[in-house]
Amino acid sequence: MVNMWTKLRKITFWILIYQLILQENAVSSEETPGCDSIVRPTNGSLYLPVKPRGSSTSLSLALTICAIILVFIVLVANGFNLIRKYIYEDKDNLDTDFDAGGRVSSGLTATTIVSQWTWAATLLQSSAVAANNGISGPFWYAAGATIPLLMFATLSVQMKTRAPGAKTFLQVIQARFGSRPHLVFCFFALLTNVIVTAMLMLGGCAVLTTLVQGLSLELAAVTLVTVIGACTFIGGLGATFYMSYFNTTIVFVVMFIFLIKVYHEGEGDQERNPLGSIERVYDLVSCSEGPEGNHARSYLTFLSSDSIMFGIINIVGNFGTVFVDQSYWQSSVAAKPREGMWGFLAAGLVWFSIPFTFATTMGMGYIALGTYYGEPLLSNAEVSAGLVPPAVAQSLMGKAGETLMVLMILMAVTSTGSAEVMAITSIIVYDLYQIHLKPFRRLTDSNCCILCGKSRGRMANRRDQCECSSMTDCIACTQDDKAISECNRTVKPNFKCKHHGNYRTYLNILRDKRDWCIVWVAMAIIPLTLLFDIIQVSLEFVYYFMGVLVGSSVFPIILSMFWARLTGKAIMYGAILGCLAGIFSWLLSASILNKEFNMSKFITNSAGNEFEISMLIANCVAIFSGAAITIIMSFVTKRHISEFETAETWEKTRDIDNPLSPWPELYIREFHITEMKLVYNRPSLEQMMTEFKKTNIIAFIVGSTTTILMIVFWPAVMTAIDIMSQSQFKQWIHLSDVWSFTAGIFIIATPLFMEIYSIVTQFKHKNARVRVHAAPEHELNNIMRSASPQVKTNSAGQLEQFNV
């Protein structure tokens, strides 16, 4: 261990020496032109007027764009529904609405995660951080928000292994700890969704009202909610996967346009484009005076105390918004068993390029334009509101830039908004209505069958044992489905199956509740947006403060997937007391730093760094006190746990299931395990851990290694450079170019190829199955002799083929 540490110190030392030599050579070989020669000329003592920032995009054009997007969403959603119905032959039921059949490819999972994680705040707040702190801001924003995505891949594998039938992470908490902890974490999950939705709408409405003439906040909120609601209501979760692909594609294309405009268009007419090259941007930025926390008050340094504080706050806060946000768990549930992990890892590396490149482009462009015009384009309040990208787009491209920004923000808001609405709806339906308000049957524990109330498997008495079969093997259910599909009337016939009919009716009632939940949740976004506008809460404050509110529940959720000794009281008190400790530490530290108790100062980022310091303290206290309380209370309240209790803990989470479509059916096909017809017959936990062992190792190694590289080695190397020279700045921009273009090509091409391949393969399987069913009777024996293990005969003597 000592030798390894010595080698690591030597490597770090030589890296630093190399960077110092590189910096010295670059500085000695380059001379920055005088600042007076690159600043816009003046008339007497006054600068020429800055390019007008008044909105020039007409309201009719903005509404037309929204209408086109809305029509496109309707077409995509209906197209998705037709594909799932006629190609994949998915059952039209509640679970499919929330998990898209559980067979989403890793490519589509990746593009969905990228789209969901690309909030309006991703584009706006990252650029604001770059405008305030300089070149280090985009890196810390991107790294701090990428790390939770990469680490979540391991958590996704654990849920697939130990609770494969769960639709929400809250169901795992209910199965392990009961109702009280479950309700507490329902509160934190909904609070997370409210915070994310608030940031989404604050940023989106701020941009739209700034760029569009005559657009009020109320109309902007209604327009965004209409687009979000339509996407979610028509297609459910599945349609959001297809929409996310188009949203991600548009975000990357627009980002590339701005990147070329700022850094690669070439120096021509400076009145039309004052930037246009890396050298020009560098010269202008190097003539700007940065914040006091930066080394030599330069925007071109990683030695920035404000950026480091923001990086820590960003990491802590984003762990809360990923791990406590149900939308990421439902993307994990919808993915194929082995492919969800790859989707999250790919998404993290692809998503890094968006804030890294976009903020480096728009944030540094904003600083350069401010130097060129002789004054900032925006006030501090406008920067905090996230208006840096619209200002740069408007200044460089005029109306075309405004239109691109409107389109980009609409795409970001639509995708994330749909995911948040579905997340809130799934919590209301699965965790509040189905468990607490009006359950189909009140059960003593998760081992009881919800159809008959009897115990299953290991807990069952032979004389009183559940014998319910899956709907897949039920002839009566097949007849019910046929009767319903052939009925052209508005009122469909009732289910006649004695075993599953009542429960299927109950699930149809839940589907109606789901539809109403989507409508009411979408409509509730409007007053939420207006409320935040009335109390004058900035996007910056909400972004910094989210970790204080939800950070304390991060470690309890992680431990609920890993640690059998964990107790319900421990996670409940850890989350609640950690949140209260975070809020108290924020108020106390802000009062001490500001030397008075003044809430208006506490929520405003003033000229000093009191705001950042108080938020840093509060975020760290919230997440670490929540972890400490949870671990200590678990040791105190459960001092010993046997092997049997450990095994039973995970069997409880594996009992979470839907008897109409049991999770073993999917995993048996995926892992090629011998089929078992009864619901309680399933792969053992040891089998599941063996199947996921390689996936789990890869997720842990990639996640932890990338985390160490991003928050330790990369910043350590960059701090060896006091202030970037022009050649170093050029290399930095080329790095962002290569990363973003590689990520863009991957995320545009890979999901498209994988989905087309999946559809074609499924279509061939379907046609093969139809031909087998239609084969003459004298050919059946020949087909049976040459049939693969995937072909079998059913009770009627017909041949069936599984879709593997």
Side-chain angles (χ1 to χ4, degrees):
M1 187 69 182
V2 175
N3 292 334
M4 185 180 69
W5 178 246
T6 303
K7 291 179 181 179
L8 184 62
R9 289 171 59 189
K10 288 181 179 179
I11 292 172
T12 306
F13 172 77
W14 286 111
I15 289 175
L16 296 179
I17 294 297
Y18 171 76
Q19 291 292 342
L20 289 172
I21 294 172
L22 181 64
Q23 178 185 359
E24 184 178 354
N25 292 336
V27 172
S28 62
S29 63
E30 296 175 4
E31 293 184 2
T32 303
C35 294
D36 292 338
S37 65
I38 60 176
V39 176
R40 189 176 185 178
T42 61
N43 287 336
S45 61
L46 298 176
Y47 286 97
L48 288 174
V50 179
K51 195 164 187 173
R53 290 190 286 108
S55 56
S56 61
T57 302
S58 64
L59 180 60
S60 59
L61 176 60
L63 294 179
T64 301
I65 294 174
C66 291
I68 293 173
I69 293 175
L70 189 60
V71 172
F72 182 70
I73 287 173
V74 172
L75 294 175
V76 170
N78 282 290
F80 171 83
N81 290 335
L82 291 174
I83 289 173
R84 302 308 299 191
K85 181 178 180 180
Y86 293 105
I87 302 297
Y88 289 93
E89 297 179 319
D90 283 350
K91 299 292 183 181
D92 188 20
N93 55 41
L94 182 71
D95 280 359
T96 305
D97 293 339
F98 286 107
D99 66 5
R103 291 181 289 178
V104 177
S105 66
S106 57
L108 212 53
T109 300
T111 192
T112 302
I113 298 299
V114 170
S115 185
Q116 288 178 202
W117 201 216
T118 307
W119 307 344
T122 300
L123 307 172
L124 305 179
Q125 186 62 27
S126 62
S127 300
V129 174
N132 288 329
N133 300 330
I135 194 70
S136 61
F139 169 80
W140 282 113
Y141 189 102
T146 299
I147 289 168
L149 275 185
L150 298 174
M151 299 304 291
F152 189 84
T154 303
L155 214 57
S156 172
V157 176
Q158 287 300 311
M159 188 170 180
K160 290 282 189 182
T161 305
R162 293 176 170 172
K167 304 302 177 187
T168 69
F169 74 95
L170 298 165
Q171 289 179 317
V172 177
I173 294 176
Q174 165 69 21
R176 287 196 60 181
F177 310 113
S179 296
R180 288 186 179 180
H182 178 252
L183 289 173
V184 168
F185 279 85
C186 282
F187 168 78
F188 279 102
L190 292 173
L191 179 62
T192 303
N193 295 131
V194 169
I195 293 172
V196 173
T197 305
M199 285 194 289
L200 187 77
M201 296 299 294
L202 283 173
C205 290
V207 172
L208 294 180
T209 53
T210 300
L211 296 181
V212 180
Q213 293 177 350
L215 183 65
S216 64
L217 177 69
E218 294 81 3
L219 182 57
V222 171
T223 303
L224 292 176
V225 167
T226 302
V227 176
I228 291 170
C231 178
T232 312
F233 185 83
I234 296 173
L237 177 66
T240 64
F241 282 95
Y242 277 19
M243 274 307 303
S244 294
Y245 171 78
F246 293 105
N247 292 347
T248 304
T249 301
I250 291 174
V251 167
F252 267 98
V253 169
V254 174
M255 182 177 72
F256 293 154
I257 292 173
F258 289 136
L259 176 65
I260 293 170
K261 191 72 177 178
V262 172
Y263 289 120
H264 304 293
E265 188 181 46
E267 297 185 31
D269 183 4
Q270 292 188 2
E271 286 299 312
R272 186 180 60 86
N273 183 3
L275 309 180
S277 70
I278 299 176
E279 294 81 0
R280 178 73 176 171
V281 173
Y282 176 83
D283 293 340
L284 288 168
V285 172
S286 62
C287 291
S288 304
E289 187 178 59
E292 293 182 359
N294 285 20
H295 174 70
R297 301 201 69 171
S298 171
Y299 283 113
L300 297 167
T301 180
F302 257 71
L303 298 173
S304 170
S305 59
D306 292 341
S307 290
I308 294 174
M309 282 193 291
F310 171 79
I312 298 172
I313 296 170
N314 197 35
I315 293 171
V316 174
N318 283 307
F319 265 108
T321 48
V322 172
F323 285 45
V324 195
D325 191 339
Q326 169 57 24
S327 64
Y328 299 96
W329 292 94
Q330 66 191 19
S331 295
S332 172
V333 169
K336 292 179 181 179
R338 283 197 181 98
E339 296 190 15
M341 175 272 296
W342 292 109
F344 278 94
L345 294 180
L349 297 176
V350 169
W351 182 88
F352 178 90
S353 67
I354 296 178
F356 181 55
T357 301
F358 186 79
T360 301
T361 300
M362 306 305 273
M364 303 307 287
Y366 171 84
I367 297 170
L369 288 172
T371 303
Y372 177 76
Y373 287 119
E375 64 178 358
L377 299 182
L378 302 171
S379 65
N380 290 334
E382 289 173 321
V383 172
S384 296
L387 298 181
V388 169
V392 175
Q394 189 180 53
S395 182
L396 295 180
M397 300 179 66
K399 190 173 182 178
E402 294 177 0
T403 304
L404 289 175
M405 276 306 306
V406 169
L407 181 62
M408 197 178 198
I409 292 298
L410 281 174
M411 292 294 98
V413 171
T414 300
S415 179
T416 310
S418 298
E420 294 305 312
V421 170
M422 284 301 297
I424 295 173
T425 303
S426 65
I427 293 172
I428 294 174
V429 172
Y430 279 113
D431 293 286
L432 295 179
Y433 192 91
Q434 194 173 14
I435 294 177
H436 297 287
L437 297 179
K438 290 188 178 180
F440 177 76
R441 184 190 302 273
R442 293 197 179 274
L443 304 173
T444 56
D445 56 56
S446 58
N447 182 254
C448 295
C449 174
I450 197 170
L451 297 178
C452 63
K454 298 178 181 180
S455 294
R456 299 173 292 176
R458 69 196 185 283
M459 303 291 290
N461 187 310
R462 290 186 178 181
R463 293 175 296 179
D464 188 26
Q465 179 175 305
C466 169
E467 296 182 355
C468 298
S469 62
S470 166
M471 190 179 74
T472 307
D473 304 306
C474 181
I475 298 175
C477 286
T478 304
Q479 294 173 347
D480 285 341
D481 290 337
K482 183 178 180 180
I484 292 173
S485 63
E486 293 176 350
C487 179
N488 296 323
R489 295 177 298 174
T490 304
V491 179
K492 302 297 182 181
N494 296 325
F495 297 109
K496 297 180 180 179
C497 176
K498 296 180 180 180
H499 294 289
H500 306 107
N502 290 336
Y503 188 64
R504 295 185 70 182
T505 302
Y506 173 75
L507 292 184
N508 281 348
I509 295 173
L510 290 185
R511 290 195 72 187
D512 293 337
K513 302 295 182 185
R514 183 216 72 146
D515 294 341
W516 280 108
C517 277
I518 291 174
V519 173
W520 287 110
V521 169
M523 291 178 63
I525 295 175
I526 299 173
L528 175 68
T529 306
L530 300 179
L531 174 64
F532 274 80
D533 180 69
I534 291 171
I535 61 179
Q536 293 296 301
V537 175
S538 68
L539 176 64
E540 184 178 36
F541 171 76
V542 179
Y543 188 86
Y544 276 75
F545 196 63
M546 62 184 177
V548 180
L549 294 177
V550 302
S552 60
S553 56
V554 170
F555 275 98
I557 292 173
I558 295 174
L559 294 174
S560 68
M561 299 291 171
F562 286 92
W563 197 24
R565 190 169 179 174
L566 192 67
T567 65
K569 287 184 178 180
I571 65 168
M572 191 164 56
Y573 287 115
I576 295 173
L577 295 180
C579 177
L580 295 177
I583 296 173
F584 177 77
S585 63
W586 167 61
L587 294 174
L588 179 62
S589 59
S591 300
I592 295 173
L593 292 170
N594 289 281
K595 299 180 181 179
E596 62 175 324
F597 189 88
N598 188 333
M599 289 298 296
S600 62
K601 289 186 177 181
F602 295 174
I603 65 175
T604 305
N605 192 356
S606 57
N609 58 2
E610 293 85 1
F611 176 82
E612 287 89 351
I613 295 175
S614 62
M615 285 296 180
L616 174 63
I617 294 172
N619 274 270
C620 291
V621 168
I623 192 168
F624 291 118
S625 64
I629 293 170
T630 301
I631 294 172
I632 292 172
M633 283 199 66
S634 293
F635 279 114
V636 171
T637 55
K638 185 180 283 188
R639 299 190 177 184
H640 176 73
I641 182 171
S642 64
E643 293 185 5
F644 173 79
E645 290 175 314
T646 301
E648 185 58 26
T649 296
W650 303 123
E651 289 302 326
K652 288 180 181 178
T653 60
R654 284 158 42 82
D655 285 335
I656 304 170
D657 207 354
N658 182 350
L660 302 186
S661 53
W663 64 261
E665 294 184 357
L666 174 62
Y667 284 76
I668 285 169
R669 289 197 303 268
E670 189 74 18
F671 300 147
H672 306 290
I673 301 172
T674 305
E675 185 185 22
M676 302 176 185
K677 293 186 176 181
L678 296 181
V679 174
Y680 56 80
N681 287 332
R682 61 196 183 194
S684 65
L685 180 60
E686 289 72 20
Q687 280 182 300
M688 297 288 286
M689 295 180 72
T690 301
E691 294 289 345
F692 281 107
K693 182 178 180 179
K694 182 178 178 181
T695 306
N696 201 12
I697 293 173
I698 293 173
F700 178 77
I701 291 177
V702 174
S704 57
T705 303
T706 310
T707 298
I708 294 172
L709 288 174
M710 284 188 173
I711 66 175
V712 179
F713 286 103
W714 194 343
V717 171
M718 295 307 300
T719 52
I721 305 173
D722 289 341
I723 299 174
M724 283 188 181
S725 65
Q726 188 179 101
S727 63
Q728 290 165 345
F729 181 73
K730 188 180 295 185
Q731 292 170 9
W732 187 261
I733 300 304
H734 288 330
L735 172 64
S736 72
D737 291 350
V738 172
W739 197 315
S740 60
F741 276 100
T742 303
I745 293 171
F746 172 83
I747 207 64
I748 292 172
T750 303
L752 183 63
F753 171 78
M754 294 183 72
E755 191 65 13
I756 292 175
Y757 177 80
S758 178
I759 291 173
V760 171
T761 303
Q762 182 65 27
F763 185 73
K764 290 179 179 178
H765 285 171
K766 180 184 176 183
N767 286 343
R769 186 169 63 250
V770 170
R771 288 195 299 271
V772 169
H773 277 290
E777 186 175 352
H778 67 274
E779 295 181 7
L780 289 178
N781 291 331
N782 293 331
I783 296 175
M784 280 294 295
R785 293 191 189 100
S786 60
S788 68
Q790 299 170 352
V791 179
K792 68 168 189 176
T793 58
N794 61 16
S795 58
Q798 295 174 307
L799 289 180
E800 294 180 345
Q801 179 173 331
F802 294 112
N803 299 320
V804 179

